[in-house]
């Protein structure tokens, strides 16, 4: 699981170390959820706790076209560098999923017509 001290530093957990879902996510049972949108697309990053490990899932979509890519970026050094375009899904709002790893932070991303944007990392 992601260290509570790292999450506290970026403001996504309280002092208890318990993650929380944002109000605009449609994953009420998620351990953590983050939703970001622009005028041309949206992306959501959610996590579930399974067997004491946190699994990341991302999904997204386009508001302006019929072609988009949803993927995750992962970093093992706190966001200094990223392994981009992992677990890409095309033209679907189905989830892309990443394996749990305690040393990796993940962000959900969407690319619409060549323009990408991402959630914050978790």
């Amino acid at each position: 699981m992601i260290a509570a001290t790292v999450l506290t530093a970026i403001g996504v957990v309280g002092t208890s170390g318990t993650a929380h879902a944002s109000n605009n996510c449609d994953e009420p049972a998620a351990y953590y959820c983050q939703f970001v949108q622009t005028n041309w697309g949206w992306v959501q990053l959610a996590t579930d706790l399974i067997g004491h490990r946190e699994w990341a899932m991302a999904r997204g979509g386009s508001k302006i076209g019929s072609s988009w890519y949803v993927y995750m970026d992962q970093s093992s050094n706190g966001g200094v560098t990223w392994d981009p375009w992992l677990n890409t899904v095309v033209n679907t709002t189905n989830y892309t999923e990443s394996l749990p790893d305690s040393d990796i932070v993940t962000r959900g991303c969407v690319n619409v017509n060549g323009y990408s944007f991402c959630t914050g990392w978790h």
Side-chain angles (χ1 to χ4, degrees):
M1 187 180 323
I2 300 168
T5 54
V6 172
L7 294 176
T8 301
I10 62 169
V12 296
V13 296
T15 56
S16 68
T18 303
H20 58 84
S22 67
N23 292 335
N24 57 354
C25 283
D26 64 356
E27 297 298 325
Y31 176 71
Y32 171 85
C33 190
Q34 188 179 150
F35 179 84
V36 177
Q37 66 180 329
T38 70
N39 60 351
W40 45 271
W42 61 275
V43 65
Q44 177 176 287
L45 176 70
T47 65
D48 283 329
L49 288 179
I50 301 171
H52 303 288
R53 300 294 301 261
E54 199 169 1
W55 293 73
M57 300 163 288
R59 68 179 176 154
S62 170
K63 293 181 179 180
I64 61 170
S66 60
S67 180
W68 68 92
Y69 301 89
V70 178
Y71 59 97
M72 284 188 266
D73 290 344
Q74 293 182 330
S75 176
S76 59
N77 58 11
V80 175
T81 59
W82 293 94
D83 294 324
W85 289 84
L86 301 174
N87 307 323
T88 302
V89 294
V90 180
N91 298 339
T92 180
T93 57
N94 291 336
Y95 280 104
T96 180
E97 195 168 309
S98 84
L99 297 174
D101 192 315
S102 59
D103 298 328
I104 291 181
V105 293
T106 301
R107 63 186 179 189
C109 303
V110 66
N111 181 288
V112 178
N113 295 339
Y115 297 99
S116 288
F117 69 96
C118 299
T119 65
W121 52 272
H122 176 77

